[in-house]
Structures are given as structure tokens and as C-alpha cells.
Amino acid sequence: IEEIEKETNGTIVKLYLKPVDEENGIEDFTNEWVITRIVKKYSDFIQYPIKMLSSDKDNKKEEKTLNSMKPIWRKSKDETNEEEINEFYKHISHDWQNPLKTIFYKAEGNLEFFSILFIPSKAPFDFYFQGYKGGLSLYVKKVLIMENDEDLLPKYMRFVKGVVESSDLNLNISRETLQNDRIILQIKKSLTRKVLDILAELIEKDREKYLTFFKEFGNALKEGIISDPENREKIIPLLLFESTFDENKLTTLDEYLQRMKNDQKEIYAIVSESRTLAENSPQIEILKNKGYEVLLLLNPIDEIMVQYITEYKQKKLKIIGKGKLDIENEETKKEVEKKSKEMKKFIEYATNKLSSQVKEVRLSENLVTSPCCLTGEEFDVSPSLERYLKKENSLFNSSKRILELNPFHPVIIKIYEKFSQDSNAPEIGDYCELLLDYSLISEGQLPVNPSKFNKLFSDLMEKGLSS
């Protein structure tokens, strides 16, 4: 550095450009369009004007300011209008629709930053694909440092679009150092809580708008139950479920608790592939009989998610079909215990006959109109999740389940009577197989051996019609 004589104030910066090589990413930086595009992308909001002096073919000088110098996120909501907000959203998101919700958020105190966040109206077509890239645009001192910065919000909030600007970060911060930067971690924590607060406000004050959000991004929000233990208690009240209470309305857990019967001890939920199968499942007959509401978990992520919600507001969440359902009175329990002793040999026979498909056959206290159903142990995965996991991993092994029989059903009583008369009768084994297939069909699954099931079924019909 040395002192020189210069007629005017200011600094002259001379850039020596490499030859244009577009194949290797070296553009023509003497091209006005290229320069304009770069300034617009990285320095559009710097508070000083960036001007370009150019000459036309007649050598007339023309001066043009390339940057807008107006960062919308530095304004308050009152200083902007809906048209300006929607225009900016479309510019950064490449979405042709207006946003569902706009959040202006300015943090002050030990940590200062400005932000404008958007919740889109509709999920992109590839939103739930593994390669989807979310993230916010990060500005430092109004200079764009990084697009699609995924470190500013947790992954389950990848639906949020927007801009964050901080003056506390270094201009030369790299993607490698961002993840562990203390300021970035604080910004992430602050933004996450702000988004959850806005969603809580939305579900309370504008249910229709929240339903639009949840329909598009609800499954992403459920990921937060699994991956964000710090904010789990804030996310749980934002979840919506189908239930047996009203087939046309989704419900929150708080609304479920308000409707619970006085004698109801637990929150009940069933995992299934469809509403029809869930509502008609033999497993919830006893609950419907008592007028208890059941939540319907119809998405594969639901079953994984509820493992992290063991209870809510001191009420245990019970998944129907996993472990025993302790709901009947002592009188019924004693009656079933008595029947279990009486039918012990038949139960052992059925267990041995079906040992390649089930781990146990036992009597049930909770079946009302159905002769039988399949259940699992407390930590077994449901059949619907099992089928989903098999699609993802062909090596996934299925677990054996428990066949429960209704000792008061006419079909079971008749089969037991035939067994008592002749325990070696070959049709007893066929009946056991039919009971298993019946249970599988009631869950929306195929029989173990469809062709054998068809033959046994037609044989039984023929006998019944000829008698």
C-alpha cells in the first residue's frame, strides 16, 4: 500500500477477468445481464446503491442502479402491503400461489436478527421425497450468504420458506462452520419456537386455515414428535387425528380429553390402513360398546410417532391390539378365566395347529360380536407398518401374533363342542385355519392360503345350504 496523487476521492478497483468458459462455469462478467443478475441475487438489499455506468452504440453514457436497497424483512408488517409480501414470497420460493401465513419476526437483546417467514398454501410435489431441499435464505449485513440453509430450522419444519438476516455473523462464514456456530444454534432455537407459537395461535383462532396447513404438512410436523424432544410438548397439541367421534372432523388430543367418559382411564387409538377397516375392527368392539372414542392412526408415521407419546396430561395413550386391553369388570374376567380352564385342551390344540403363523391362541375378554381377532405384544409393530417396512426393506422379518377367541360366540362354542366329541376330527384343524383367515381378512390382509380358504369356505356353504 502506498500514497498516490489522485484527483477525486474514492477507490478504484480493477478486476482482471479470465476468458469466458461457460462449460466450466466462467461467465462473461462484462455482460450487463450477468452483472445485473449477480447483484440482484447477492446484494439486492445492501443499503448503498450499486450503479452501473454503460454506453450505448452512440457512446451515450447511462447510469443505472441495480439493487433495490429495500429489505422487506427489515420493515414491520404495517410498513408493507399484501401485494409486496406476496411478490417477495413468490420471488424466493418459486411458488405461484400466495403464502398461507406470513410471519415477521425480529429478535432483540443478546441476539439480534431480522426475519420474514412464510408457510406455503400447498406442499411441493416432491416435499415428502428424500431428496427434497428446504431451508431459509441467510443474509449477513444484507448480503446473501447462503440459499436453502437447512441449519436455521429443524428438518421437520422444512415447509417454512423465508429469509433470516443477522449482523452478528461473519460475512465469510462457510457451510461447514454454520452447523456448530453458537449464533446459528440460538437463531434456530428462537425461530423454531416462534413457528410453533404461530401454529398454536392458528389452530385456536383460524381452524380452517390450520386444517389447510395440516393437510399439506401434518406428516412433517409429526416427525417433530420423534426428532425434537425439546419441543415435543408444544407439538403434541398441534396434532390432528381422525376418530370414531365424527368421521367428517379431525380432533386434537385436548378435544378428545374433553369428551372422555367419566369411567374412561386411557386415551384409545388403533393403527390401521383405512377408516373403514379401523371402525369395523373386532379389536374396538368393546370400546364402541361402552361409548369410548377411539383415535384412528391411518398413516405409517403415526405408529412410530405415538411411541413417543406414552401419555398426555396424565392420561396414558393405549394402542389397541398391542398388549392386553384392561377394560372389563372382574365378573367378566373370572368368567373368561373359567372358560380358559374348561377349554384348555382345545386352546393347546389350536396353538399347535397354527404354530407356524401365530405365537399363541387364547381367550379374549373384549370381543363382543366377532368370533376372533389378532393382537400383538406391547412392543410389536402393527400389520400395516409391517407391510410398509417390508416395501422399504425386503429382508424385514414379520413377527408372529396372538389369535384371540371369543368364548361366548356361537361359532367358538360349536367348534369346542365338536372338539369335545372328537378331538381327532380333521375338520377341527380346518376350522382353526378359517378363524385365523377370518382375523386376517378383518384387518384387510389376505388369508394365509387363499386357494385353500376359498375351498373350505365353499365347502362350508355347501354343507350349510344342504342341511
Side-chain angles (χ1 to χ4, degrees), residues 333-391:
K333 288 179 183 177
K334 285 178 182 176
E335 189 65 29
V336 172
E337 281 177 19
K338 183 182 172 184
K339 287 279 186 184
S340 294
K341 289 175 184 175
E342 181 188 324
M343 300 170 71
K344 185 181 177 185
K345 287 188 177 178
F346 170 67
I347 293 168
E348 286 174 353
Y349 172 89
T351 300
N352 289 330
K353 177 66 182 174
L354 303 173
S355 59
S356 60
Q357 279 90 36
V358 302
K359 68 170 75 169
E360 181 189 353
V361 177
R362 68 187 181 203
L363 300 188
S364 171
E365 303 163 8
N366 301 310
L367 288 166
V368 181
T369 59
S370 295
C372 55
C373 72
L374 283 165
T375 61
E377 300 288 8
E378 194 73 43
F379 300 104
D380 286 352
V381 297
S382 71
S384 54
L385 180 59
E386 206 170 73
R387 287 194 287 278
Y388 175 79
L389 293 172
K390 274 186 177 178
K391 282 181 190 174

Side-chain angles (χ1 to χ4, degrees), residues 8 15 30 52 81 88 106 110 278 353 391 427 432 462:
T8 58
L15 301 177
T30 64
M52 177 184 285
N81 57 57
F88 181 73
K106 177 185 176 184
N110 294 332
K353 177 66 182 174
K391 282 181 190 174
E427 63 264 29
C432 290
E462 190 179 330

